[in-house]
Amino acid sequence: MIPGKYRSVSGRAANNVNCGLHLVIQTSSLPEKSKVEFKLNKETPSFSGRLLQHDLERNYSSRQGDHIHLASSSMPSFPILQRSSEEKILYSDRLTLERQKLTVCPIIDGEEHLRLLNFQHNFITRIQNISNLQRLIFLDLYDNQIEEISGLSTLRSLRVLLLGKNRIKQISNLENLKSLDVLDLHGNQITKIENVSHLCDLRVLNLARNLLSHVDNLNGLDSLTELNLRHNQITFVRDVDNLPCLQRLFLSFNNISTFESVCCLADSSSLSDITFDGNPIAQESWYKHTILQNMMQLRQLDMKRVTEEERRMASVVAKKEEEKKRESHKQSLLKEKKRLTINNVARKWDLQQHRIPNIAPNQDRKVSDSSQDPSQLHGSTVSAFPEETGSLDSGLANALQGLSVTDTHLVEVDGDTLSLYGSGALESLDRNWSVQTAGMVTTVSFTFIEFDEIVQVLPKLKIKFPNSLHLKFKETNLVMLQQFNALAQLRRVDQLTIDPQGNPVVNFTLWKYYVLFRLSHFSMQKINGTEVTQNDMIMAERLFGILAHVASSELPQYRMISILGDARKKQFRYLLETKGKKPGLVNEENNDSKRLVGENTNRAMLNYTTRDVYNERLEEIKEKKKFCKMYMEDLVKEATEINMKNEALQKLWPQMFIELVRDAVIEIRNKNSYMKLCLQQITDQK
Amino acid sequence: MLSPERLALPDYEYLAQRHVLTYMEDAVCQLLENKEDISQYGVARFFTEYFNSVCQGTHILFREFSFIQATPHNRASFLRAFWKCFRTVGKNGDLLTMREYHCLLQLLCPDFPLELTQKAARIVLMDDAMDCLMSFSDFLFAFQIQFYYSEFLESVAAIYQDLLAGKNPNTVIVPTSSSGQHRQRPPLGEASVLEGVEASLFSQCLENLCDRHKYSCPPPALVKEVLSNVQRLTFYGFLVALSKHHGINQALGALPDKGDLMHDPAMDEELERLLAQVPGLVNSAPANPEAGCLPSRTPPRVGSPWRPLHHARKVDAESDGSTEETDESET
């Protein structure tokens, strides 16, 4: 602070210069009115000079009215200042010319000892005519119209330079002022900090109320203790850690919004006092504790003391923030990984779907024995696959097979939803799920998995996730109504969502009714998001009820048993395969299947066997069929032989009969010889 | 027993003509497959049931396609079963695509080939816009012709192509090429200008076909009738005419007349009964137990129908409560 005495001399109440410096110069009180006289060049007075003279003469009563004399000078427009010798002796080291309506710096003659020069509140536009005052220590040009710093190159002893409230656009021409202690440039139009690196003794730098947009270039200011940057447009601060002595930094009323833009402050160990009020950052919820956490050395923030309590709170909160950030980072990493995996699975799936037609055109198309390839139903009609694209796809497919795929499937449990992507994910059902996790799962979503593969794991699903009530299928290649039969084996399904993407079955008009019909024992509530109404159930029954009736009542008994038996056999086979099978579990399954038989027997006939299993079975039967054929042929041969013999016998019989009778009659013609013959035969027998 | 016709054919051929061997083989095969279950109640009963079902036409339900196609009787039974089961779909008025019909077919026969369905659809749609919707009756009759007479139709197609190309299979190629060519030229000229082939020529070829081949073909008289009405016709025009011909339908005997296609009183009654069992239905009329009872050997039915729609239906093996549908009413 400028000592009060001096302040009163300058006549200003407010002083924007916040110097923490105690001026070495001791001043004695000066009278209010100046005892200085002015000598003006009368001969060629400038306009302003003339005016000045008038004003002077009007406003200032000079006691030494006779002492004013105007001397001519070589400079046309500059007034020449001369003081009376008494004043020179009294105030030899200081000169106050404030509020003199000066527009130019007058030539000051014969005052080479001057140490303090005050030009406050004038209209000076250029610093001139003071080069000879080489002892000057204190120069005050506050509140003028100076546009450029210049004319100071000889003032090597200058220690305080006050240039506030001018029109300076640039910091320059301070090269020789190496002893500068206080530099006040507030209230100007400076846009950049520059040309100050040589001021190694500078202790106070005031750049408030300028047009600075950022702070850097602060190296070299090794003594700087206070830096005032209030009321600028600063968005980021750099290089502050290069200031080894900086204690106070005022950044109020700027444009700082993040801590990162001022992060260099954390590295400054000397800082003890900082203000950020009036910045956007001060409005943030995390402002105080972030600053305190990062700047442990602070003693005052926004002109208020930092208490221990606040510091503690800050560190706690900061730790929590760190945790949260880490968590969210982890989450986003996971999400990204998940997204990549799903993309991977999708690509693989598409490849699969397009790869299958490569085989189809090569198959022999015979009407009688071509087995239906479900992939042919996928997408376009059968005739649409030309050989060329088929071979191209296979080439591409082979090339892509060479790529290493990191993740081929994804399993995710998210609260109540279990999501499975890719056929590899089905194996995860074998894992040991905790009862709690498994119990919470109510929705199971399948994506990019062939429905036939899903069918095979449905028993597992039933056991491991007993509460799953909502099934979702997307890109699962559902093409036939029949496939819905497979869902009947589950315990209960409340909702079913079949995404049209990748599931051609949704294009059928009757698919929903079929589902409702076949799975009526589930009393489903929603299909694809729409509620199931009573009318839907009735319509389903109306459309397919007879099918069920025919299936149950008109099938012969052995067929029914064999079909049902298959279902039961499948269940038992699965149970035998699972590890840790307990007898209790088996009984439960027994009851389950009994119940299955009990409900909807008429629909139980409608099963679904996957294509592969079906073909396998047909293959197995082929052997039997061959055997049967051979067996029948043998039987037929036998039968025809017997038939032939029978017919032959029929033809020959009359003849044979006659001959038999004839032979018998001939034998008995002679009664006596016949009797003898018989008796002999009897004795022979013995 | 000793009729001369019977003796005219060698035994094996006689059996083959009646397809007796097919059924015998199939029966034995079924026996082999299910011997554990069948041994429970005896082989004799099995054979009884089997041949009963063959007579009734239910033997083809859920069987593989090769079996269904094996004999004309099987084919006819399959057609009838399809009609019976999905008549309600037709009655509802829904128009379905070829694929959906194929799906329905697959419900009854899991490995039914798509080509057959496609060919049937082509008949309905006159080989145009294969994604069009078709009505149940149109599809059913076209399917009947296609499926029952599939081999016949293949030969007819071949003949048609030949006729279109100008080759007359009936023409005897005399060594002197000129006369043969003379005879062939007129049809060629006509065929290239107008669509299809000449009906009379076509009819002649078909007659020869029917005589020559042993597999089932439509009654020649009726075919002649169809062809006598028009001057020229295309292949699909011919098939459409076949499918819509009442006489052929009746000769086949599988399906009722077009007018009666939606009528099946017995099944309708059954359906009403089933509808009454839909839970929550406020239908005061109790189900008629006499109409179309389930045979007693089926396991006990679903319990009381009056349960609310959204309760989990845990149905016990034994029905609880005495409602009208208990087993007492059954024979």
Side-chain angles (χ1 to χ4, degrees):
Chain A
M1 298 303 268
I2 292 182
K5 297 171 182 174
Y6 190 71
R7 221 193 288 150
S8 64
V9 167
S10 54
R12 283 185 281 133
N15 185 1
N16 273 359
V17 179
N18 245 349
C19 307
L21 192 66
H22 191 79
L23 278 179
V24 170
I25 302 173
Q26 290 296 320
T27 61
S28 50
S29 58
L30 291 170
E32 285 290 332
K33 298 208 176 134
S34 167
K35 291 188 191 135
V36 176
E37 296 173 354
F38 280 101
K39 227 184 185 174
L40 292 170
N41 189 347
K42 234 185 196 167
E43 283 176 6
T44 57
S46 63
F47 176 76
S48 53
R50 218 187 270 132
L51 271 177
L52 206 48
Q53 186 179 10
H54 269 295
D55 287 345
L56 279 174
E57 286 175 355
R58 224 180 326 128
N59 293 329
Y60 288 89
S61 59
S62 91
R63 283 196 226 119
Q64 301 106 347
D66 316 321
H67 288 194
I68 300 175
H69 71 280
L70 300 163
S72 62
S73 106
S74 50
M75 304 281 210
S77 56
F78 291 126
I80 299 180
L81 177 73
Q82 274 179 1
R83 284 201 288 183
S84 67
S85 43
E86 289 147 18
E87 286 191 8
K88 265 200 228 179
I89 296 167
L90 260 178
Y91 309 105
S92 60
D93 61 349
R94 64 196 65 163
L95 181 56
T96 306
L97 292 171
E98 62 173 273
R99 295 185 210 278
Q100 299 297 319
K101 303 204 166 100
L102 296 167
T103 56
V104 291
C105 294
I107 299 176
I108 301 173
D109 227 358
E111 303 269 7
E112 272 72 21
H113 301 288
L114 213 52
R115 294 206 287 174
L116 193 152
L117 183 52
N118 181 351
F119 275 125
Q120 281 185 27
H121 303 298
N122 283 292
F123 303 95
I124 297 170
T125 52
R126 282 191 66 184
I127 309 173
Q128 294 165 309
N129 301 326
I130 53 173
S131 326
N132 51 331
L133 306 173
Q134 296 189 2
R135 300 275 179 85
L136 209 55
I137 294 179
F138 187 105
L139 177 58
D140 187 348
L141 284 160
Y142 171 78
D143 191 16
N144 277 283
Q145 293 172 6
I146 297 169
E147 286 171 14
E148 192 196 14
I149 305 175
S150 59
L152 302 173
S153 39
T154 55
L155 307 177
R156 289 173 210 279
S157 321
L158 199 65
R159 298 228 229 138
V160 176
L161 177 57
L162 308 179
L163 284 168
K165 213 164 170 200
N166 277 284
R167 297 178 191 169
I168 298 170
K169 295 189 172 49
Q170 210 186 5
I171 308 175
S172 56
N173 298 327
L174 298 173
E175 285 81 35
N176 293 339
L177 305 178
K178 290 210 169 54
S179 329
L180 211 54
D181 204 25
V182 172
L183 177 57
D184 179 5
L185 286 166
H186 81 274
N188 279 288
Q189 298 163 10
I190 296 168
T191 54
K192 215 171 139 194
I193 302 177
E194 53 187 344
N195 300 324
V196 296
S197 327
H198 57 284
L199 304 173
C200 35
D201 286 341
L202 193 68
R203 282 202 272 171
V204 175
L205 177 56
N206 185 351
L207 285 167
R209 291 190 196 274
N210 274 285
L211 300 176
L212 294 171
S213 58
H214 58 271
V215 176
D216 51 12
N217 250 343
L218 290 175
N219 43 314
L221 298 170
D222 295 333
S223 312
L224 197 65
T225 317
E226 179 174 318
L227 179 55
N228 186 346
L229 295 167
R230 289 193 174 96
H231 292 282
N232 275 286
Q233 299 158 11
I234 295 169
T235 49
F236 68 85
V237 174
R238 277 210 280 260
D239 291 346
V240 169
D241 40 344
N242 290 335
L243 304 171
C245 298
L246 189 66
Q247 288 171 22
R248 288 176 294 276
L249 177 59
F250 305 112
L251 286 165
S252 315
F253 298 101
N254 275 290
N255 213 359
I256 296 168
S257 45
T258 65
F259 187 73
E260 280 71 45
S261 44
V262 301
C263 58
C264 63
L265 299 179
D267 298 327
S268 162
S269 48
S270 52
L271 261 182
S272 65
D273 200 338
I274 199 167
T275 64
F276 278 113
D277 52 298
N279 281 285
I281 196 180
Q283 304 301 319
E284 299 282 0
S285 54
W286 41 261
Y287 161 64
K288 202 163 190 186
H289 59 80
T290 308
I291 301 286
L292 289 181
Q293 181 62 11
N294 286 299
M295 302 182 63
M296 300 294 280
Q297 70 278 35
L298 268 189
R299 278 211 281 256
Q300 272 201 91
L301 175 64
D302 293 335
M303 311 311 286
K304 285 188 283 232
R305 272 202 72 85
V306 176
T307 62
E308 273 312 304
E309 178 66 26
E310 283 177 324
R311 258 194 253 273
R312 203 179 49 78
M313 279 302 296
S315 76
V316 163
V317 174
K319 246 184 230 116
K320 254 190 268 177
E321 288 269 332
E322 186 66 34
E323 272 299 315
K324 226 193 317 175
K325 212 187 286 182
R326 236 181 296 148
E327 260 311 301
S328 78
H329 182 63
K330 216 187 340 174
Q331 286 295 330
S332 63
L333 268 180
L334 269 175
K335 219 182 268 184
E336 184 61 26
K337 186 158 178 253
K338 195 169 73 165
R339 195 184 61 83
L340 283 173
T341 311
I342 292 179
N343 276 351
N344 222 354
V345 176
R347 198 160 19 111
K348 194 163 150 230
W349 172 261
D350 281 337
L351 216 63
Q352 237 179 359
Q353 297 302 310
H354 294 149
R355 223 188 296 151
I356 295 178
N358 293 340
I359 317 168
N362 301 331
Q363 266 179 359
D364 278 318
R365 305 266 188 79
K366 294 208 187 82
V367 175
S368 44
D369 55 28
S370 66
S371 54
Q372 241 335 264
D373 193 341
S375 64
Q376 288 182 2
L377 296 174
H378 178 89
S380 41
T381 54
V382 174
S383 56
F385 288 106
E387 292 296 326
E388 297 83 42
T389 54
S391 53
L392 180 67
D393 271 355
S394 77
L396 184 66
N398 287 337
L400 281 172
Q401 266 175 340
L403 283 179
S404 62
V405 180
T406 46
D407 275 1
T408 55
H409 63 267
L410 175 68
V411 179
E412 187 193 21
V413 178
D414 185 10
D416 64 350
T417 305
L418 169 67
S419 307
L420 301 166
Y421 299 86
S423 52
L426 295 178
E427 291 159 359
S428 72
L429 289 174
D430 288 329
R431 260 194 250 162
N432 284 328
W433 296 91
S434 77
V435 178
Q436 199 192 16
T437 325
M440 271 183 50
V441 168
T442 59
T443 304
V444 182
S445 149
F446 301 92
T447 317
F448 302 123
I449 313 175
E450 289 275 358
F451 187 79
D452 288 355
E453 290 176 24
I454 299 175
V455 164
Q456 286 161 16
V457 302
L458 284 179
K460 280 189 222 171
L461 188 71
K462 192 162 104 164
I463 291 182
K464 294 266 174 143
F465 295 95
N467 291 334
S468 52
L469 296 174
H470 182 181
L471 295 183
K472 296 167 83 161
F473 296 92
K474 181 172 166 178
E475 290 279 2
T476 53
N477 230 359
L478 268 170
V479 292
M480 303 190 272
L481 292 177
Q482 232 186 332
Q483 289 172 306
F484 288 118
N485 294 346
L487 295 178
Q489 62 187 286
L490 293 172
R491 199 167 285 161
R492 171 118 186 260
V493 175
D494 257 354
Q495 268 196 64
L496 193 58
T497 304
I498 315 284
D499 197 305
Q501 189 182 348
N503 290 319
V505 85
V506 176
N507 297 331
F508 291 157
T509 324
L510 302 174
W511 79 273
K512 278 195 190 165
Y513 294 123
Y514 187 76
V515 169
L516 287 175
F517 153 73
R518 182 64 185 87
L519 305 175
S520 62
H521 56 289
F522 288 154
S523 307
M524 291 181 69
Q525 302 197 2
K526 273 196 188 177
I527 295 187
N528 275 17
T530 39
E531 290 256 347
V532 170
T533 65
Q534 180 72 358
N535 284 340
D536 291 334
M537 296 297 291
I538 294 178
M539 180 56 86
E541 192 67 33
R542 197 183 285 281
L543 285 174
F544 296 106
I546 295 185
L547 172 66
H549 169 74
V550 163
S552 63
S553 64
E554 299 195 359
L555 269 183
Q557 178 75 345
Y558 73 91
R559 291 292 315 284
M560 281 174 58
I561 291 185
S562 79
I563 291 179
L564 275 182
D566 267 346
R568 242 185 284 138
K569 267 186 227 151
K570 250 193 282 178
Q571 282 179 336
F572 284 148
R573 212 184 305 139
Y574 165 65
L575 280 178
L576 285 171
E577 284 166 12
T578 53
K579 17 187 183 148
K581 168 178 79 77
K582 302 186 204 96
L585 196 64
V586 177
N587 285 337
E588 193 191 274
E589 278 312 302
N590 250 329
N591 292 337
D592 240 351
S593 55
K594 261 200 227 129
R595 235 183 296 135
L596 183 73
V597 171
E599 349 170 350
N600 315 88
T601 31
N602 53 358
R603 285 166 237 265
M605 291 308 135
L606 303 168
N607 280 343
Y608 174 65
T609 43
T610 57
R611 175 111 339 258
D612 302 326
V613 173
Y614 191 77
N615 289 343
E616 256 178 52
R617 208 192 304 162
L618 287 183
E619 283 293 319
E620 285 170 12
I621 296 178
K622 264 197 197 145
E623 276 295 316
K624 294 195 181 124
K625 278 201 178 147
K626 234 184 343 185
F627 166 74
C628 292
K629 199 173 174 79
M630 272 171 29
Y631 180 67
M632 288 312 303
E633 281 175 13
D634 289 340
L635 282 182
V636 166
K637 225 186 289 173
E638 245 184 81
T640 51
E641 276 177 22
I642 293 173
N643 190 35
M644 240 171 34
K645 289 181 193 163
N646 196 20
E647 286 178 9
L649 182 62
Q650 294 284 347
K651 275 195 213 134
L652 294 171
W653 180 245
Q655 196 66 22
M656 285 166 66
F657 187 66
I658 291 171
E659 282 182 20
L660 277 173
V661 168
R662 193 179 347 145
D663 290 342
V665 163
I666 291 172
E667 247 183 45
I668 318 177
R669 213 168 35 167
N670 193 347
K671 271 201 208 147
N672 290 335
S673 55
Y674 185 65
M675 268 190 327
K676 272 190 205 148
L677 193 61
C678 288
L679 278 169
Q680 196 166 3
Q681 274 176 2
I682 292 171
T683 48
D684 283 343
Q685 268 177 11
K686 285 204 188 134
Chain B
M1 256 256 302
L2 294 170
S3 64
E5 296 154 5
R6 246 202 70 227
L7 294 171
L9 276 175
D11 308 311
Y12 196 76
E13 278 182 28
Y14 169 75
L15 289 175
Q17 196 186 53
R18 298 297 191 272
H19 304 282
V20 172
L21 286 184
T22 317
Y23 293 112
M24 287 300 301
E25 279 170 22
D26 188 60
V28 174
C29 200
Q30 295 268 299
L31 181 62
L32 272 183
E33 266 187 73
N34 303 303
K35 52 186 172 188
E36 309 95 27
D37 304 315
I38 293 173
S39 54
Q40 286 173 12
Y41 60 91
V43 177
R45 183 156 168 204
F46 161 73
F47 274 108
T48 320
E49 279 184 10
Y50 181 85
F51 284 105
N52 266 339
S53 88
V54 170
C55 283
Q56 286 168 1
T58 58
H59 58 300
I60 35 78
L61 289 172
F62 312 119
R63 294 296 306 269
E64 62 277 9
F65 178 70
S66 50
F67 178 66
I68 294 180
Q69 209 198 22
T71 72
H73 172 67
N74 283 6
R75 297 187 194 185
S77 311
F78 183 72
L79 288 167
R80 191 168 180 81
F82 182 73
W83 164 72
K84 212 171 180 190
C85 291
F86 297 114
R87 175 186 59 94
T88 39
V89 172
K91 201 166 173 192
N92 201 36
D94 286 315
L95 297 176
L96 308 178
T97 60
M98 180 266 297
R99 284 195 186 277
E100 201 156 357
Y101 280 118
H102 183 69
C103 226
L104 295 180
L105 283 167
Q106 281 187 317
L107 282 176
L108 290 179
C109 167
D111 58 349
F112 202 88
L114 184 63
E115 286 102 5
L116 270 184
T117 325
Q118 279 181 328
K119 284 185 185 161
R122 267 195 217 119
I123 296 177
V124 176
L125 303 168
M126 299 291 270
D127 203 11
D128 185 29
M130 290 298 286
D131 284 336
C132 254
L133 302 171
M134 300 180 278
S135 76
F136 183 71
S137 58
D138 285 343
F139 176 74
L140 188 55
F141 285 115
F143 180 69
Q144 174 180 246
I145 296 293
Q146 176 61 53
F147 182 47
Y148 195 80
Y149 296 125
S150 38
E151 294 88 356
F152 173 73
L153 287 190
E154 268 186 45
S155 308
V156 171
I159 291 175
Y160 183 78
Q161 287 303 319
D162 285 345
L163 284 182
L164 265 189
K167 289 181 279 173
N168 188 342
N170 280 345
T171 319
V172 175
I173 306 292
V174 180
T176 57
S177 51
S178 55
S179 52
Q181 282 174 0
H182 273 305
R183 233 173 298 168
Q184 282 179 19
R185 222 173 271 141
L188 177 65
E190 282 178 42
S192 58
V193 170
L194 300 166
E195 214 186 69
V197 298
E198 201 185 312
S200 46
L201 192 58
F202 197 45
S203 169
Q204 260 182 17
C205 304
L206 291 188
E207 256 186 80
N208 293 339
L209 183 65
C210 290
D211 291 334
R212 263 184 303 186
H213 294 277
K214 56 186 186 310
Y215 47 68
S216 52
C217 57
L222 295 176
V223 172
K224 219 172 178 174
E225 203 189 304
V226 167
L227 290 170
S228 63
N229 292 336
V230 290
Q231 188 69 10
R232 302 190 64 82
L233 77 175
T234 61
F235 181 60
Y236 284 108
F238 172 59
L239 294 183
V240 168
L242 276 185
S243 71
K244 295 204 193 279
H245 197 279
H246 290 305
I248 294 180
N249 184 29
Q250 278 175 356
L252 240 167
L255 301 174
D257 283 335
K258 184 157 182 184
D260 295 330
L261 196 62
M262 300 304 170
H263 291 157
D264 188 0
M267 282 297 121
D268 278 340
E269 272 185 55
E270 185 58 40
L271 188 59
E272 290 307 313
R273 239 172 33 87
L274 288 171
L275 281 174
Q277 283 181 18
V278 173
L281 185 59
V282 186
N283 190 359
S284 54
N288 188 358
E290 277 90 39
C293 332
L294 297 177
S296 52
R297 61 170 184 266
T298 46
R301 282 200 301 281
V302 174
S304 153
W306 306 116
R307 281 183 213 167
L309 183 61
H310 295 296
H311 276 203
R313 298 224 329 232
K314 298 281 182 140
V315 181
D316 309 321
E318 321 82 33
S319 60
D320 53 354
S322 53
T323 62
E324 302 86 40
E325 293 110 32
T326 51
D327 293 359
E328 308 147 10
S329 56
E330 293 171 350
T331 46

